[in-house]
Amino acid sequence: MKKDIHPDYHRITVRLTDGTTYETRSTWGKEGDTLTLEIDPSSHPAWTGGGHKLMDTGGRVSKFKKKFAGLDL
């Protein structure tokens, strides 16, 4: 590897939204810094499967359903 072209890889603490923390290595920040997450696997619907609503802006969803209503798969 070439010298002096890679970022510093050091230990940081990551704080999740529920207050729990864990230590990992990263190029973010400086040695000993704490990265506080706003979204994490314990709270985000993509990981929790939380109930999300389908937003129909401009009638696109209803137009799609109307267009493909007779199509049986």
Side-chain angles (χ1 to χ4, degrees), residues 1-56:
M1 288 192 326
K2 292 182 180 179
K3 292 185 178 203
D4 301 325
I5 65 166
H6 298 285
D8 180 36
Y9 192 61
H10 49 270
R11 292 198 179 276
I12 65 165
T13 302
V14 178
R15 180 176 293 127
L16 303 177
T17 56
D18 63 358
T20 59
T21 61
Y22 67 92
E23 194 171 287
T24 188
R25 293 178 56 92
S26 175
T27 58
W28 179 86
K30 297 177 186 161
E31 180 79 29
D33 281 354
T34 300
L35 174 63
T36 304
L37 299 179
E38 294 176 8
I39 299 172
D40 65 37
S42 65
S43 64
H44 195 276
W47 289 287
T48 61
H52 60 280
K53 294 176 92 177
L54 186 59
M55 300 296 283
D56 187 7

